[in-house]
Amino acid sequence: MNPWTTVAVCVALTLVVMILDACMAMRSAKQSNSDKLDKGRAARQAKLESELADKGQ
């Protein structure tokens, strides 16, 4: 096998691994961001419900 072919294969594999790593990082960041949004939404909902309950009394 030509040494330059080996270098090209190694570079290609490195690029593939870097791209996959970036995709996984974006995916986990998106997931944690949506978790934060869900928590905030739940907190706002609970606050509204407690205010409505206070007005009802």
Side-chain angles (χ1 to χ4, degrees), residues 35-56:
D35 289 348
K36 287 179 191 170
L37 287 175
D38 289 344
K39 286 180 185 172
R41 197 174 294 129
R44 281 194 302 276
Q45 183 69 29
K47 186 177 176 187
L48 284 173
E49 288 174 358
S50 68
E51 287 175 0
L52 286 174
D54 291 343
K55 287 179 183 176

Side-chain angles (χ1 to χ4, degrees), residues 5-23:
T5 308
T6 307
V7 170
V9 168
C10 288
V11 169
L13 286 174
T14 304
L15 286 173
V16 167
V17 169
M18 287 172 67
I19 291 169
L20 285 174
D21 189 40
C23 289

Side-chain angles (χ1 to χ4, degrees), residues 5 15 27-28 32:
T5 308
L15 286 173
R27 199 167 145 201
S28 68
S32 69

